[in-house]
DNA sequence: CGTTACGTTGAACAAGATCAACCTCGGTGG
DNA sequence: CCACCGAGGTTGATCTTGTTCAACGTAACG
């Protein structure tokens, strides 16, 4: 149950456009979407030299709230970020997908616990190396700042959900957000309505985790899945697979 | 009901430590706590040249969700930041105090509506000027980034409240956070327990706004104020003044 | 003084939580 | 191979918290 630890990497090879970039990066499935996409080949090489892969298995804790924060990209797999209360109640504050970035205060302590909900491969960045690069490269700066602001916008969107929405609206919103994440990740270029209608995807987390994320109980989540399905907005196939059968209706039910 | 518009400022004068900084800044009550505190005298002069004051009266909207975002410091007064749903439900996502910084995506659109809840004086920064400074001065960079991360941590803390806490816990937490804000602002150096016990302060927002902030109704907020008071944790004097009569108890009730 | 916005209090109600039973499915070991 | 086990999920009955609806206070302000 111990995390796999990678080794430093340095070999380079030609990318398709004829520029030398690190081998590990040419082979990286998420490079085009991750923070790395903001980097020039030389910047990418510098960052790569301060990076190594680590793997985690389902259920493993990657960082604990209160421990020193880490800087990493998700190369593959799904993680959740959560905050806990003394008595054990937990709030999931975000669900992280491949290409997502994990980072707390640059030089401090993590304010969340990050946990793998599938087998996960991370591209860890050395803190000192990352900070130096951040100082030297305006592109990385901008990307890093934009990431923080984007997370803030997400958190506030979710505050609106937790503070104001009904159970049904919460579950509908959760599904829409998942669908959006998947279409975004696939970089589709046609309108969202079309892209999402009929779309089938896997819910990457358990009912208990959905409950914690939406501020509901497992039972309520289960019941609302049922009613959304009864209303023809979605169709469930087993417990993890959903089909969006009517985005317009789902969107209507989401607020 | 129109916002007052200031004029550009450039005269300088000696500060107490014998260094030339802008007159407007020496006279600024919040300089030591605001983002400006990260700046050298020359940086401060540069930023000041790209800044002007504007005033707002109670209730005025400063930025609207979806409109271009602004970059400003609160020189005096209190604001709220909120998000709205199509049907009118609103979630307050933060309460802003003097020295707090207002800024959305650097080059984009605001994801919240900012509104004055008292008469407010803002120190507006010209966007282009601010961006240039940001590129040139590492100190400002760091401060700006730290601000975004700090807001993110606050938002997530509040997600835990909205998703998991009971009504009483929410109201207790709200009061504790207010008390902390006031002691922080005063830069006290003795332990928080001592500082807060017996402390009297003003609740800067209405019951309706507390309700929106905590995801409750006005009636529930009112009732929980009553029970907190019955339990001896606080004492209300009228509708806006509170005394923390027992921090330990209040903290206990906050989770 | 009304008038009005803000706040409190009480009674009835409902959304969602809790409690409990049962289902389903993917191991695991006899 | 199948019986058993346990984790995750669903469904139903009941209960509770907080909402809703309604009446009444209170204080600032023209």
């Amino acid at each position: 149950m111990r995390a796999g630890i990678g080794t430093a990497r340095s070999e380079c090879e030609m990318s398709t456009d004829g520029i030398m970039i690190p081998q590990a990066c040419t082979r990286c499935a998420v490079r085009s979407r991750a923070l790395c996409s903001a980097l020039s080949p030389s910047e990418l090489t510098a960052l790569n030299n301060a990076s190594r892969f680590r793997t985690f298995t389902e259920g493993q804790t990657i960082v604990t709230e209160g421990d020193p924060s880490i800087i990493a990209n998700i190369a593959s797999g799904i993680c959740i970020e959560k905050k806990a209360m003394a008595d054990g109640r937990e709030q999931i504050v975000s669900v992280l997908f491949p290409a997502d970035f994990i980072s707390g205060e640059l030089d401090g302590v993590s304010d969340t616990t990050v946990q793998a909900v599938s087998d996960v491969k991370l591209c860890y960045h050395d803190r000192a190396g990352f900070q130096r690069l951040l100082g030297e490269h305006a592109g990385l700066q901008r990307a890093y700042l934009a990431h923080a602001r984007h997370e803030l916008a997400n958190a506030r969107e979710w505050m609106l959900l937790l503070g104001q929405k009904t159970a049904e609206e919460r579950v509908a919103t959760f599904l829409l957000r998942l669908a959006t994440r998947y279409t975004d990740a696939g970089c589709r270029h046609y309108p969202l309505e079309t892209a999402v209608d009929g779309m089938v995807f896997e819910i990457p987390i358990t009912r208990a985790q959905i409950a914690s994320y939406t501020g509901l109980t497992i039972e309520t989540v289960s019941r609302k899945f049922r009613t959304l399905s009864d209303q023809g907005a979605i169709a469930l196939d087993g417990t993890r697979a959903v089909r969006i059968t009517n985005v317009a209706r789902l969107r209507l039910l989401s607020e």
Side-chain angles (χ1 to χ4, degrees), chain A residues 11-181:
Chain A
E11 317 80 52
C12 283
E13 66 178 24
M14 287 291 188
S15 74
T16 48
D17 48 4
I19 295 170
M20 297 298 279
I21 65 167
Q23 225 176 64
C25 297
T26 31
R27 290 173 186 172
C28 179
V30 304
R31 178 165 69 92
S32 64
R33 284 175 291 131
L35 210 70
C36 318
S37 65
L39 300 179
S40 68
S42 67
E43 289 169 341
L44 190 61
T45 304
L47 181 59
N48 178 64
N49 285 336
S51 306
R52 62 189 61 221
F53 288 122
R54 276 185 76 180
T55 57
F56 297 86
T57 58
E58 183 182 333
Q60 263 192 299
T61 296
I62 296 168
V63 204
T64 303
E65 195 177 342
D67 282 359
S69 58
I70 62 164
I71 302 164
N73 274 302
I74 301 185
S76 67
I78 312 267
C79 305
I80 54 171
E81 255 185 293
K82 61 187 183 184
K83 289 185 72 70
M85 290 174 57
D87 63 5
R89 281 175 282 176
E90 288 186 347
Q91 176 66 37
I92 292 180
V93 298
S94 79
V95 179
L96 300 170
F97 291 84
D100 280 352
F101 191 61
I102 300 175
S103 155
E105 307 265 340
L106 252 191
D107 199 15
V109 139
S110 181
D111 66 326
T112 55
T113 294
V114 181
Q115 191 179 2
V117 296
S118 69
D119 287 350
V120 162
K121 181 165 152 191
L122 295 188
C123 181
Y124 261 66
H125 306 303
D126 172 67
R127 188 196 294 251
F130 189 83
Q131 287 217 39
R132 192 170 28 74
L133 272 176
L134 211 52
E136 291 165 5
H137 300 287
L140 187 58
Q141 277 275 11
R142 262 194 307 274
Y144 186 64
L145 183 60
H147 169 262
R149 295 227 71 100
H150 196 246
E151 285 298 294
L152 180 59
N154 282 342
R156 288 173 163 183
E157 191 71 44
W158 216 248
M159 286 173 74
L160 181 63
L161 174 142
L162 294 170
Q164 306 297 330
K165 293 193 176 180
T166 65
E168 185 164 271
E169 289 168 341
R170 293 183 200 202
V171 174
T173 307
F174 166 73
L175 288 172
L176 279 172
R177 175 174 276 213
L178 263 190
T180 310
R181 269 313 303 248

